[in-house]
Structures are given as structure tokens and as C-alpha cells.
Amino acid sequence: MSVQSAARRLTAPDIRARKGGEPIVSLTAYHAHTARLIDPHVDFMLVGDSLGMVMHGMETTVPVTVEMMILQGQAVMRGSSHALVVVDLPFGSYEGSPQQAFATASRVLKETGAGAVKLEGGRRMAETVRFLADRGVPVMGHVGLTPQAINTLGSFKALGRDEASAALILDDARSIAEAGAFSIVLEAISEPLARQITDEVAPPTIGIGGSVACDGQILVLEDMLGLSDRVPRFVKKFADIGPAIGAAVESYAQEVRARTFPGPEHVYAPKKA
């Protein structure tokens, strides 16, 4: 007889069922210890390919590999027990064909234990989203500003601010919604467009530079904690712990150089005979 834990981890269907309900809370996570801290407060964690920029100092997300995503996905799964964990499929690992996407997605889900994957692109990726969804892979979509396409876009900038580009993004969102995405990230698009997409598509929308009307919101954890030097307009710093870390390290360095650390309370006395 199997014994199930009383605390059940949220799933993709749970997130999809939140359409029009209580707002969905999400943050990125790349480490076990930060996953443990945020797990009680969020509905899903995204192991984003933004880890290339946040953790490794890369200029874009393009160089990120599947192996990097799996390693950090495993860490986040070990550090969490409540939130759904979604792992980004990195650039070059899924665009070639639906079959390539399924091979990558199935490997990611098997090796991490995560509950869903995310991929970027609208109409051009609809066939792939449908192929994956039909084969048991929960897919989160991502339209608007798609960072993996930075070499085509030219820069990180808001999109959908004119009628023509807004129509294309709306079509992108409709296409992947109809293909079976269980939720859709809307990044850096005009507020009225994000509101319109949220009203028109069946799956919940997750805003990041979208609209308060979206069904949920996501931010990069390091951005909202004040650990990033430069952040987009859509980021609100809910804390500014970067300077606090610098001050703590400065104090540590001063005490080491002054030989006041470690003190008697930090070292071990010999055992008495």
C-alpha cells in the first residue's frame, strides 16, 4: 500500500484552474536554498534560462545549455515541496522540430522531477506546443519580449505598443492557447494588450511587464531583492539586500585583518582529560 504525503505539490492543472481566480504568484529560482525560502509563498517557481545572466554573467540567455537547466532544476526541486517547478527549455533545444522539443522536454522532466516546461514563441511554436501537450508534457508559453530571440530583436525593449505589433502578439497568444499551453507568460508588452490577451485566452496569463489584470505575476528573484545592477522598468525592488551583503563582507574582512575574528566563541577548546 502506498503512503502519500499530506502536502501535495501544485501541478500544471492546478495553475490552469486559477484562471480568473486568486492571482498566481511566481518567482524565478535557481538554487536549493532560495527555493526553500520562497516555496511557502509562491504558486510556481520558474527555473529560468535567465540563470545564464544572473548566475554566470552572460550577456544574454542564448548560451545556456540543457545541462545547465537540468542541474539547477534538480537543485530547486530538492529545495521545494509545495510550488510547481517549471523549467525553461533553452535556445536551440526545441526549435528544430516538435520531435526535438519532445526529446528535450522529456529529458528535463525525467532528470529534474519538475512538473512542466516553458518555451518561447507564439504562432511559430503552436505545432510544437500541441505536439508536447498531446504527449503528456505540460507547456507554459511565453510571448511578447522573448529573450532567446535577442539577436533578432536587437535589444531588450517593450513590444506591442503599436497596432500592427500588438495584433501579432495577440495572434501569438491565441495560437499557443489553442494549442494547449496551460499558462502563458506575457513579457514587456503594452498594458492594454496584456489586459486584452488576459480577457481573451482560456489559460491564465503571467505578467512580467504586462498588466495588473494578468492572472498572475512573475519577477526574477535577484531583481526584486536588489541584487541586480540594472533592472527593467517593470521590476519593483521589494528589498535592497545587495548593499547589506556588501556591508557584511566588509565587516568580515575588517575583523579578519584585525584578528578579532574568529573569537573565543568560534573556536574549539581541547577536551579535558
Side-chain angles (χ1 to χ4, degrees), residues 220-228 230-232 235-237 239:
V220 172
L221 179 65
E222 286 75 5
D223 289 352
M224 58 89 74
L225 290 179
L227 290 171
S228 303
R230 295 179 299 171
V231 298
V235 172
K236 176 180 178 179
K237 289 186 179 181

Side-chain angles (χ1 to χ4, degrees), residues 106-130:
S106 59
R107 180 186 173 195
V108 167
L109 295 182
K110 284 182 177 182
E111 295 188 29
T112 65
V117 298
K118 182 172 76 66
L119 55 78
E120 296 182 4
R123 174 170 288 279
R124 65 183 177 85
M125 295 308 302
E127 179 186 357
T128 295
V129 171
R130 181 173 289 106

Side-chain angles (χ1 to χ4, degrees), residues 3 15 21 27 30 49 101 153 167 175 205 229 271-272:
V3 178
I15 300 301
L27 288 167
Y30 317 120
D49 58 1
L153 295 173
S175 296
T205 58
D229 293 332
K271 289 184 177 181
K272 295 181 179 180

Side-chain angles (χ1 to χ4, degrees), residues 186-200:
L186 307 180
E187 180 168 359
I189 62 176
S190 71
E191 196 281 335
L193 175 60
R195 188 178 292 267
Q196 180 183 4
I197 292 172
T198 301
D199 288 342
E200 292 192 15

Side-chain angles (χ1 to χ4, degrees), residues 18-218:
R18 294 275 289 274
K19 177 70 179 182
E22 181 182 10
I24 300 162
V25 180
S26 176
L27 288 167
T28 62
Y30 317 120
H31 318 90
H33 64 278
T34 50
R36 189 171 295 111
L37 289 171
I38 69 176
D39 189 45
H41 309 290
V42 300
D43 301 303
F44 77 87
M45 301 182 202
L46 174 65
V47 185
D49 58 1
S50 51
L51 65 85
M53 302 170 75
V54 174
M55 293 181 61
H56 298 281
M58 297 173 177
E59 291 186 2
T60 72
T61 63
V62 172
V64 173
T65 65
V66 174
E67 288 71 25
M68 292 167 69
M69 299 308 305
I70 288 174
L71 183 65
Q72 304 313 138
Q74 291 169 338
V76 170
M77 285 296 294
R78 285 194 292 267
S80 62
S81 60
H82 159 72
L84 168 68
V85 174
V86 182
V87 180
D88 265 341
L89 300 185
F91 178 75
S93 71
Y94 64 93
E95 298 93 335
S97 68
Q99 290 77 14
Q100 181 199 26
F102 180 74
T104 303
S106 59
R107 180 186 173 195
V108 167
L109 295 182
K110 284 182 177 182
E111 295 188 29
T112 65
V117 298
K118 182 172 76 66
L119 55 78
E120 296 182 4
R123 174 170 288 279
R124 65 183 177 85
M125 295 308 302
E127 179 186 357
T128 295
V129 171
R130 181 173 289 106
F131 189 90
L132 295 181
D134 286 347
R135 286 158 179 79
V137 177
V139 180
M140 178 176 288
H142 184 153
V143 302
L145 174 60
T146 49
Q148 292 177 9
I150 185 60
N151 290 328
T152 299
L153 295 173
S155 64
F156 296 106
K157 58 185 178 182
L159 302 174
R161 303 179 76 177
D162 61 81
E163 188 174 340
S165 62
L168 291 174
I169 295 171
L170 177 58
D171 182 60
D172 281 341
R174 287 170 173 164
S175 296
I176 59 173
E178 292 169 1
F182 75 89
S183 61
I184 304 173
V185 172
L186 307 180
E187 180 168 359
I189 62 176
S190 71
E191 196 281 335
L193 175 60
R195 188 178 292 267
Q196 180 183 4
I197 292 172
T198 301
D199 288 342
E200 292 192 15
V201 301
T205 58
I206 310 297
I208 177 166
S211 170
V212 71
C214 289
D215 297 293
Q217 303 292 331
I218 187 169

